[in-house]
Amino acid sequence: MRDTYVKGPSYTALRPCKPETDPSSFPVYPDLVERLVEDKHQPDVDGVVPHVLATCAAYSYAGFEQHSDVQTLSMIMTRLGLEENDCRAFEQRVDAMYIASAAYLVQDKDRRVAILCYRGTQPEDIISILTDADVRPEMLAVELEGRKYEVHAGFYRNVRATRHLIIEALDRAVRGESLDPGRQGTRGGGLEALYITGHSLGAAMAALMAITLVHEPRYWHIADRLKGVYTFGQPMVGGPDLAKACEETPGPNDTYVLRDRMLRYIFDRDVVPALPPRPVGPYAQFGREFHYRRRHGPVDATLTFAADSAIEGLTLPSDVLRTVVDGDWGGLLVRVTEGVRRSVRPLLRTGTQGWTEVTEPGLHYPQMDSLAGLAVVAPLAFFATRLALTRTIPFKYSFDDHGPGHYVNALAPPGVLSEFGDVL
């Protein structure tokens, strides 16, 4: 287990030789602490919180030789508005068990705000990739209304690997203590706002940690401070029964955190939110869904409609076969109806671009119907985007759209150029 702590830099240290009148926006959000503490509506109307957390999740990938780079993340959070933050990284690696767990905990200097950020799948790390593929169900050791639920084994094992240290650190934050275990004393009234975030595998781990905090009574003193869970490109973590329980079971103080403050962001045709595919078993999402669509012309929208309709048609025989076995003809009708509505949506959104909250469950990003989408469609889409001639081909899924940079750029509020406060 690696447990690393650093103290973030000051604003002065990050802008050497620059006068106070320099036009760059630095820090990017001077009032970031107040925004994180006082915001009662998730997401905030100005889009600051999702942008900050998407940036945090993106830079959690920083590192060398499979070791986290705590200094980089701490520096980025200072640039965003958390000057002289405390930043701790918790890492556990057991290759034979497909454990490549890494989490960051960032605390502002006045100890009012904490951000728990889980790192996602490292592209060059085969163990991290095998974690995603370990789809065998495992019993979740948290009860919702007296019942335990099965979840993705690889995701949950990685959450458990570092959970004990994270809970201990969050306990310190709640009491107003520093994340630095060697520093004594408290400051202020203790933790006022906790946010949990992550991208990809990190998003799945964030969701599972949120379930643990919200529905385990011994952690309710921490869950009381949980303002929001923001995930980006999150795969599904459990079955439809778990998703339903998360939506319907209240947490501390009768709040529905996992229904109202669990926010999932999906960039255009990101393949990962559709995983694991249906052949490995039924999975479902929970919480609020925000989907970003690129602007497409009438021709592209028509091609997209045709491609989506063809894929829906190809999956119909297997759906019918499953229905013959289980007798759920009503469920088949619902799936077909929802598939048609999803296919028609590109035609209705011609010329529009941006984020939209998907409020109808039937129109949520669906679970991938076959392995072909993962093995064929998404890789082709990835290479197609590299060429101008094929860039607008309407593939149903894309690995390229999963990149954390897409989420950071698409969530940047108007007038915010980058996490570095650049001036064009």
Side-chain angles (χ1 to χ4, degrees), residues 9-18 20 26-27 78 83-84:
S10 66
Y11 293 149
T12 302
L14 287 183
R15 48 183 311 165
C17 303
K18 287 187 176 183
E20 292 297 325
F26 184 84
T78 293
E83 183 182 21
E84 297 179 346

Side-chain angles (χ1 to χ4, degrees), residues 335-367:
R335 284 198 297 275
V336 171
T337 302
E338 292 175 351
V340 171
R341 294 177 68 194
R342 283 194 298 269
S343 297
V344 170
R345 286 172 73 193
L347 294 176
L348 302 178
R349 293 175 57 85
T350 300
T352 62
Q353 176 171 300
W355 292 100
T356 303
E357 182 172 5
V358 182
T359 56
E360 294 185 55
L363 296 181
H364 281 178
Y365 212 62
Q367 185 179 12

Side-chain angles (χ1 to χ4, degrees), residues 296-309 343-344 346-348 350 394:
H296 295 289
V299 175
D300 287 342
T302 302
L303 290 173
T304 300
F305 167 73
D308 288 353
S309 298
S343 297
V344 170
L347 294 176
L348 302 178
T350 300

Side-chain angles (χ1 to χ4, degrees), residues 14 28 59 62 112 122 142 163 179 216 233 257 259 337 356 366 398 405 418:
L14 287 183
V28 178
Y59 279 91
R112 301 174 65 195
Q122 297 282 60
V142 174
R163 189 175 67 188
L179 295 184
E216 180 62 49
V257 177
R259 182 191 67 191
T337 302
T356 303
S398 171
S418 81

